[in-house]
Amino acid sequence: MFATYLIGLREGLEATLVVSILVAFLVKSQRRDRLPQVWGGVGLAVALSVLFGWLIEYTSTSLLARSEDRELFEAVTSVAAVVFVTWMIFWMRRAARTIAGELRGRLTEALAVGSLAVAGMAFLAVIREGLETALIFYSAAQGAAGDSGPLLALLAGIASAVAIGVGLYFSALRINLSTFFTWTGALLILVAAGILKYGVHDFQEAGVLPGLNDLAFDISATLDPSTWYAALLAGMFNVTPAPSVLETVAWVAYAVPVLVLFLRRPAPPAGASAPTPSAGSAGVTEPTGTAPASPRA
């Protein structure tokens, strides 16, 4: 359940920061009259994300009759989730220093167009996080049918993210967002490696890939699957005591290079200097350091 909590926390905080940027900009620009359009766009994005999650689950449980088709569907969604996780982690690392300015620029253009443009801009800013959350959650929670634990953990993660975002907005909380996104990013890479391993297993069960019974190792005698720590490793990172060769290769081939690339900080461009955040914007708007003063007017 920790994996789904982490997904909800990470994705939820990204969405909360985006919304905070939009709200803070409108408040400081004396355009509070446009706040209902922002919340309307956010609400629509959340509703469509929930619908997308339900559609994925419905497709798997009701529209696909054969077990082979369900395994193949779960495998494809697992691979798609890994792609989205990887893209999201590296995108946030690259865009963190400029996302606030970009969003403010887009919102300025939307204000000049009208209410629908403002709502549409807020919708587009949040829907990506929502769709990613639904897809990644479905892939991470596979095998937990009938168990409400993963869903409750996801909701707890989202609730924690909203609480953190509100605390940052009102300057009631200060955290180093750069460190936060680095650690959660590294943990999500391990979660994604487990999702990919699960996807390979599903491909094998669907008959698309061979080697289902070719085990890389079997440490069941040491790592008893019935113990709490084995369940924790399996639930967090899909580390199992008897994986197939292809599952193990997929886990290692993804986790090791992606972790190395993620944790290796790129050198700043020649002549570039650290950005100087505008007054009342950095903590909520640019997740690169400790949250400063309130962005409110």
Side-chain angles (χ1 to χ4, degrees):
M1 288 191 295
F2 176 78
T4 54
Y5 175 83
L6 180 63
I7 291 168
L9 178 64
R10 168 77 187 220
E11 294 282 350
L13 187 56
E14 287 187 21
T16 301
L17 290 173
V18 168
V19 174
S20 298
I21 293 169
L22 301 180
V23 171
F25 179 74
L26 290 176
V27 170
K28 291 180 71 66
S29 302
Q30 303 299 319
R31 298 303 303 272
R32 293 175 182 267
D33 58 306
R34 295 303 188 189
L35 287 176
Q37 284 79 45
V38 169
W39 292 119
V42 170
L44 180 60
V46 171
L48 287 182
S49 299
V50 173
L51 178 62
F52 178 67
W54 172 83
L55 182 60
I56 295 176
E57 179 67 21
Y58 180 75
T59 299
S60 176
T61 57
S62 301
L63 297 183
L64 301 176
R66 297 195 312 154
S67 60
E68 293 84 357
D69 294 335
R70 289 194 294 271
E71 297 292 347
L72 185 58
F73 177 78
E74 291 175 357
V76 171
T77 55
S78 294
V79 172
V82 171
V83 171
F84 276 116
V85 168
T86 308
W87 177 83
M88 174 265 294
I89 290 171
F90 283 93
W91 176 85
M92 174 55 77
R93 190 183 70 168
R94 183 182 70 253
R97 292 182 180 273
T98 60
I99 185 173
E102 292 178 0
L103 285 173
R104 286 194 291 265
R106 293 176 189 171
L107 187 54
T108 299
E109 296 174 357
L111 285 170
V113 175
S115 299
L116 287 179
V118 173
M121 191 265 171
F123 169 81
L124 293 175
V126 175
I127 189 63
R128 178 180 61 84
E129 305 292 346
L131 296 181
E132 283 179 4
T133 302
L135 181 60
I136 298 168
F137 167 72
Y138 171 78
S139 300
Q142 288 182 33
D147 183 4
S148 60
L151 177 59
L152 294 177
L154 177 76
L155 295 176
I158 294 174
S160 299
V162 172
I164 292 172
V166 171
L168 290 175
Y169 183 83
F170 289 101
S171 295
L173 181 65
R174 289 175 177 268
I175 63 173
N176 189 306
L177 291 172
S178 178
T179 300
F180 172 85
F181 280 116
T182 297
W183 278 102
T184 56
L187 288 174
L188 275 179
I189 288 171
L190 296 179
V191 171
I195 292 174
L196 180 61
K197 175 177 174 287
Y198 196 100
V200 170
H201 181 80
D202 282 337
F203 275 127
Q204 290 178 313
E205 289 196 332
V208 175
L209 293 177
L212 179 61
N213 298 316
D214 297 333
L215 300 183
F217 52 83
D218 189 348
I219 56 172
S220 300
T222 304
L223 186 64
D224 185 354
S226 63
T227 59
W228 67 268
Y229 50 86
L232 182 65
L233 286 174
M236 288 174 59
F237 309 123
N238 200 22
V239 174
T240 53
S244 70
V245 173
L246 281 180
E247 289 178 64
T248 304
V249 169
W251 199 98
V252 174
Y254 173 85
V256 173
V258 174
L259 267 176
V260 170
L261 289 173
F262 177 73
L263 294 176
R264 185 185 65 184
R265 290 294 179 181
S273 59
T276 302
S278 59
S281 66
V284 173
T285 62
E286 307 199 32
T288 57
T290 302
S294 170
R296 296 178 298 156

